[in-house]
Amino acid sequence: IAAELARQQKRAAVVAYAKQFVGNPYVYGGTSLTRGTDCSGFVKSVYKPFGVNLPRTSAALRSAGYRVSVQDMQPGDIVCYSGHVGIYVGNGKIVNAIDEAHGIDVSNAYYKPIITVRRIF
């Protein structure tokens, strides 16, 4: 039970870290959390300080970590869509690099069909 608690704390730390970049710009192909990133660059860059080297594309992220069901999503899980990816923050929301108009923000996790949910910790 202690190991699961440690994993939950690590996932919560990922979410807290990711949320501090809300309001920063979206840049296609970017990986900078402050100067601009796209959706997959955002997820890769958020997980990097936690010692996790993730794939660079949203399609490749669909096989990162291990699969959990949408019903079992926990904060910190990676939510994968067709052409997009974000980090689940809880309460039906994801933090993600949306587009040039919206930048990095928190949005509805169910805005389009979820392909898979991947857990890293």
Coordinates of all heavy atoms in Angstrom, one line a residue, residues 32-80:
S32 N 9.5 23.6 -25.4 CA 9.8 24.5 -24.3 C 8.5 24.8 -23.5 O 7.5 25.3 -24.1 CB 10.4 25.8 -24.8 OG 10.5 26.7 -23.7
L33 N 8.5 24.5 -22.2 CA 7.3 24.7 -21.4 C 7.1 26.2 -21.2 O 6.0 26.6 -20.8 CB 7.5 24.0 -20.1 CG 7.5 22.4 -20.2 CD1 8.0 21.8 -18.8 CD2 6.2 21.9 -20.6
T34 N 8.1 27.0 -21.4 CA 8.0 28.5 -21.2 C 7.9 29.2 -22.5 O 7.1 30.2 -22.6 CB 9.1 29.0 -20.3 OG1 10.4 28.6 -20.9 CG2 9.1 28.5 -18.9
R35 N 8.6 28.8 -23.5 CA 8.7 29.6 -24.8 C 7.7 29.0 -25.8 O 7.5 29.7 -26.9 CB 10.1 29.6 -25.3 CG 11.0 30.4 -24.5 CD 12.4 30.6 -25.1 NE 13.0 29.4 -25.7 CZ 13.6 28.4 -25.0 NH1 13.7 28.5 -23.7 NH2 14.1 27.3 -25.6
G36 N 7.2 27.8 -25.6 CA 6.2 27.3 -26.5 C 6.4 25.8 -26.8 O 7.5 25.4 -27.0
T37 N 5.3 25.1 -26.8 CA 5.4 23.6 -27.0 C 4.1 23.2 -27.7 O 3.0 23.9 -27.6 CB 5.6 22.9 -25.7 OG1 5.7 21.5 -26.0 CG2 4.4 23.1 -24.7
D38 N 4.1 22.0 -28.4 CA 2.9 21.4 -28.9 C 2.5 20.4 -27.8 O 3.1 20.2 -26.8 CB 3.0 20.9 -30.3 CG 4.1 19.8 -30.4 OD1 4.5 19.2 -29.4 OD2 4.5 19.5 -31.6
C39 N 1.4 19.7 -28.1 CA 0.8 18.8 -27.1 C 1.7 17.7 -26.7 O 1.9 17.4 -25.5 CB -0.6 18.2 -27.6 SG -0.4 17.1 -29.1
S40 N 2.4 17.0 -27.6 CA 3.3 15.9 -27.3 C 4.5 16.4 -26.7 O 5.1 15.8 -25.7 CB 3.5 15.0 -28.5 OG 4.0 15.7 -29.5
G41 N 5.0 17.5 -27.1 CA 6.2 18.1 -26.5 C 6.0 18.5 -25.1 O 6.8 18.4 -24.2
F42 N 4.7 19.0 -24.8 CA 4.3 19.4 -23.5 C 4.4 18.2 -22.5 O 5.0 18.2 -21.5 CB 2.9 20.0 -23.5 CG 2.4 20.3 -22.1 CD1 2.8 21.3 -21.4 CD2 1.3 19.5 -21.6 CE1 2.3 21.6 -20.1 CE2 0.8 19.8 -20.3 CZ 1.3 20.8 -19.6
V43 N 3.8 17.1 -22.9 CA 3.7 15.9 -22.1 C 5.2 15.3 -21.9 O 5.6 15.0 -20.8 CB 2.8 14.8 -22.7 CG1 3.0 13.5 -22.0 CG2 1.4 15.2 -22.7
K44 N 5.9 15.3 -23.0 CA 7.3 14.8 -22.9 C 8.1 15.7 -21.9 O 8.9 15.2 -21.0 CB 8.0 14.8 -24.2 CG 9.4 14.3 -24.3 CD 10.0 14.2 -25.7 CE 11.4 13.8 -25.7 NZ 11.7 12.5 -25.2
S45 N 8.0 17.0 -22.0 CA 8.8 17.9 -21.2 C 8.3 18.0 -19.8 O 9.1 18.2 -18.9 CB 8.7 19.3 -21.8 OG 9.3 19.3 -23.1
V46 N 7.0 17.7 -19.5 CA 6.5 17.7 -18.1 C 7.1 16.5 -17.4 O 7.5 16.6 -16.2 CB 5.0 17.7 -18.1 CG1 4.5 17.3 -16.7 CG2 4.5 19.1 -18.4
Y47 N 7.1 15.4 -18.1 CA 7.6 14.1 -17.4 C 9.1 14.0 -17.3 O 9.6 13.3 -16.4 CB 7.1 12.9 -18.2 CG 5.8 12.4 -17.6 CD1 4.6 12.8 -18.1 CD2 5.8 11.5 -16.5 CE1 3.4 12.4 -17.5 CE2 4.6 11.0 -16.0 CZ 3.4 11.5 -16.5 OH 2.2 11.0 -15.9
K48 N 9.9 14.8 -18.1 CA 11.3 14.7 -18.1 C 12.0 14.9 -16.7 O 12.8 14.2 -16.3 CB 11.9 15.7 -19.2 CG 13.4 15.4 -19.4 CD 13.9 16.2 -20.6 CE 15.4 15.8 -20.8 NZ 15.8 16.0 -22.1
P49 N 11.6 16.0 -16.0 CA 12.3 16.2 -14.7 C 12.0 15.1 -13.7 O 12.6 15.0 -12.6 CB 11.7 17.5 -14.2 CG 11.0 18.1 -15.3 CD 10.7 17.1 -16.3
F50 N 11.0 14.2 -14.0 CA 10.7 13.1 -13.1 C 11.4 11.8 -13.5 O 11.1 10.7 -13.1 CB 9.2 12.9 -13.1 CG 8.4 14.0 -12.5 CD1 8.0 15.1 -13.3 CD2 8.2 14.1 -11.1 CE1 7.3 16.1 -12.7 CE2 7.5 15.1 -10.6 CZ 7.1 16.2 -11.4
G51 N 12.4 12.0 -14.4 CA 13.3 10.9 -14.8 C 12.6 10.0 -15.9 O 13.1 8.9 -16.1
V52 N 11.6 10.5 -16.6 CA 10.9 9.7 -17.6 C 11.2 10.3 -19.0 O 11.0 11.4 -19.2 CB 9.4 9.7 -17.3 CG1 8.7 8.9 -18.4 CG2 9.1 9.1 -15.9
N53 N 11.7 9.4 -19.9 CA 12.0 9.8 -21.2 C 10.9 9.3 -22.1 O 10.9 8.1 -22.4 CB 13.4 9.3 -21.7 CG 13.7 9.8 -23.1 OD1 13.2 10.9 -23.5 ND2 14.6 9.2 -23.8
L54 N 9.9 10.1 -22.5 CA 8.8 9.7 -23.3 C 9.0 9.9 -24.8 O 9.8 10.8 -25.2 CB 7.5 10.5 -22.8 CG 7.0 10.1 -21.5 CD1 5.9 11.1 -21.1 CD2 6.4 8.7 -21.4
P55 N 8.2 9.2 -25.6 CA 8.3 9.5 -27.1 C 7.9 10.9 -27.4 O 7.2 11.5 -26.6 CB 7.4 8.4 -27.7 CG 7.0 7.5 -26.6 CD 7.3 8.2 -25.3
R56 N 8.3 11.3 -28.6 CA 8.0 12.7 -29.0 C 6.7 13.0 -29.6 O 6.2 14.1 -29.6 CB 9.2 13.2 -29.9 CG 9.0 14.6 -30.5 CD 9.1 15.6 -29.4 NE 8.8 16.9 -29.9 CZ 7.6 17.5 -30.1 NH1 6.5 16.8 -29.7 NH2 7.5 18.7 -30.5
T57 N 6.0 12.0 -30.2 CA 4.8 12.2 -31.0 C 3.6 11.7 -30.2 O 3.7 10.8 -29.4 CB 4.8 11.5 -32.3 OG1 4.8 10.1 -32.2 CG2 6.0 12.0 -33.2
S58 N 2.4 12.3 -30.5 CA 1.2 11.9 -29.8 C 0.9 10.4 -30.2 O 0.4 9.7 -29.3 CB 0.0 12.8 -30.2 OG -0.2 12.8 -31.6
A59 N 1.1 10.0 -31.4 CA 0.9 8.6 -31.8 C 1.8 7.6 -31.0 O 1.3 6.6 -30.5 CB 1.1 8.4 -33.2
A60 N 3.1 8.0 -30.8 CA 4.0 7.1 -30.1 C 3.7 7.1 -28.6 O 3.9 6.1 -27.9 CB 5.4 7.6 -30.3
L61 N 3.1 8.2 -28.1 CA 2.8 8.2 -26.6 C 1.6 7.2 -26.3 O 1.5 6.8 -25.2 CB 2.3 9.6 -26.2 CG 3.5 10.6 -26.0 CD1 3.0 12.0 -26.0 CD2 4.2 10.3 -24.8
R62 N 0.9 6.7 -27.3 CA -0.2 5.8 -27.1 C 0.4 4.4 -26.6 O -0.4 3.6 -26.1 CB -1.0 5.5 -28.4 CG -1.8 6.7 -28.8 CD -2.5 6.4 -30.1 NE -2.8 7.6 -30.8 CZ -3.0 7.7 -32.1 NH1 -3.1 6.5 -32.9 NH2 -3.3 8.8 -32.7
S63 N 1.7 4.2 -26.7 CA 2.2 2.9 -26.2 C 3.2 3.2 -25.0 O 3.8 2.2 -24.6 CB 3.0 2.2 -27.3 OG 4.0 3.0 -27.9
A64 N 3.3 4.4 -24.5 CA 4.1 4.7 -23.3 C 3.5 4.1 -22.1 O 2.2 3.9 -22.0 CB 4.3 6.2 -23.2
G65 N 4.3 3.7 -21.1 CA 3.8 3.2 -19.8 C 2.9 2.0 -20.0 O 3.2 1.1 -20.9
Y66 N 1.8 1.9 -19.3 CA 0.9 0.8 -19.4 C -0.5 1.4 -19.5 O -0.8 2.5 -19.0 CB 1.1 -0.2 -18.4 CG 0.8 0.2 -16.9 CD1 -0.4 0.1 -16.3 CD2 1.9 0.8 -16.2 CE1 -0.6 0.5 -15.0 CE2 1.7 1.2 -14.9 CZ 0.5 1.1 -14.3 OH 0.3 1.5 -13.0
R67 N -1.4 0.6 -20.1 CA -2.8 1.0 -20.4 C -3.6 0.9 -19.1 O -3.5 -0.1 -18.4 CB -3.4 0.2 -21.5 CG -4.8 0.6 -21.9 CD -5.3 -0.4 -23.0 NE -6.7 0.0 -23.4 CZ -7.8 -0.3 -22.6 NH1 -7.7 -1.0 -21.5 NH2 -8.9 0.1 -23.1
V68 N -4.5 1.9 -18.9 CA -5.5 1.8 -17.9 C -6.8 2.2 -18.6 O -6.8 3.0 -19.6 CB -5.3 2.7 -16.6 CG1 -4.0 2.2 -15.8 CG2 -5.1 4.2 -17.0
S69 N -7.9 1.8 -18.0 CA -9.2 2.1 -18.6 C -9.6 3.6 -18.4 O -9.1 4.2 -17.4 CB -10.3 1.2 -18.1 OG -10.6 1.6 -16.7
V70 N -10.4 4.2 -19.2 CA -10.9 5.5 -19.0 C -11.6 5.7 -17.7 O -11.4 6.7 -17.0 CB -11.8 5.9 -20.2 CG1 -12.5 7.3 -19.9 CG2 -11.1 6.0 -21.5
Q71 N -12.3 4.7 -17.2 CA -13.0 4.7 -15.9 C -12.0 4.7 -14.8 O -12.3 5.2 -13.7 CB -13.9 3.5 -15.8 CG -15.0 3.4 -16.8 CD -14.7 2.9 -18.2 OE1 -13.5 2.5 -18.4 NE2 -15.6 3.0 -19.1
D72 N -10.8 4.2 -15.0 CA -9.8 4.2 -13.9 C -8.7 5.3 -14.0 O -7.7 5.2 -13.3 CB -9.1 2.8 -13.9 CG -10.0 1.7 -13.5 OD1 -10.9 2.0 -12.8 OD2 -9.8 0.5 -14.0
M73 N -9.0 6.3 -14.9 CA -8.0 7.4 -15.0 C -7.7 8.0 -13.7 O -8.6 8.3 -12.9 CB -8.6 8.5 -15.9 CG -8.3 8.3 -17.3 SD -8.6 9.8 -18.4 CE -10.3 10.2 -18.1
Q74 N -6.4 8.3 -13.4 CA -6.0 9.0 -12.2 C -5.2 10.3 -12.7 O -4.6 10.3 -13.8 CB -5.1 8.1 -11.4 CG -5.7 6.9 -10.9 CD -6.7 7.2 -9.7 OE1 -6.4 8.1 -8.9 NE2 -7.8 6.5 -9.7
P75 N -5.2 11.3 -11.8 CA -4.3 12.5 -12.1 C -2.9 12.0 -12.5 O -2.4 11.1 -11.8 CB -4.4 13.3 -10.9 CG -5.8 13.0 -10.3 CD -5.9 11.5 -10.6
G76 N -2.4 12.6 -13.5 CA -1.0 12.3 -14.0 C -1.0 11.3 -15.1 O 0.0 11.2 -15.8
D77 N -2.1 10.6 -15.4 CA -2.2 9.7 -16.5 C -2.2 10.5 -17.9 O -2.7 11.7 -17.9 CB -3.4 8.9 -16.5 CG -3.4 7.8 -15.4 OD1 -2.3 7.5 -14.8 OD2 -4.5 7.2 -15.1
I78 N -1.6 9.9 -18.9 CA -1.6 10.5 -20.2 C -2.8 10.1 -21.0 O -3.1 8.9 -21.1 CB -0.3 10.1 -20.9 CG1 0.9 10.6 -20.1 CG2 -0.3 10.7 -22.4 CD1 2.3 10.0 -20.7
V79 N -3.6 11.1 -21.5 CA -4.8 10.8 -22.2 C -4.5 11.0 -23.7 O -4.1 12.1 -24.1 CB -6.0 11.7 -21.7 CG1 -7.3 11.3 -22.4 CG2 -6.1 11.6 -20.2
C80 N -4.7 10.0 -24.5 CA -4.4 10.0 -25.9 C -5.7 10.1 -26.8 O -6.6 9.3 -26.6 CB -3.6 8.8 -26.3 SG -2.0 8.6 -25.3

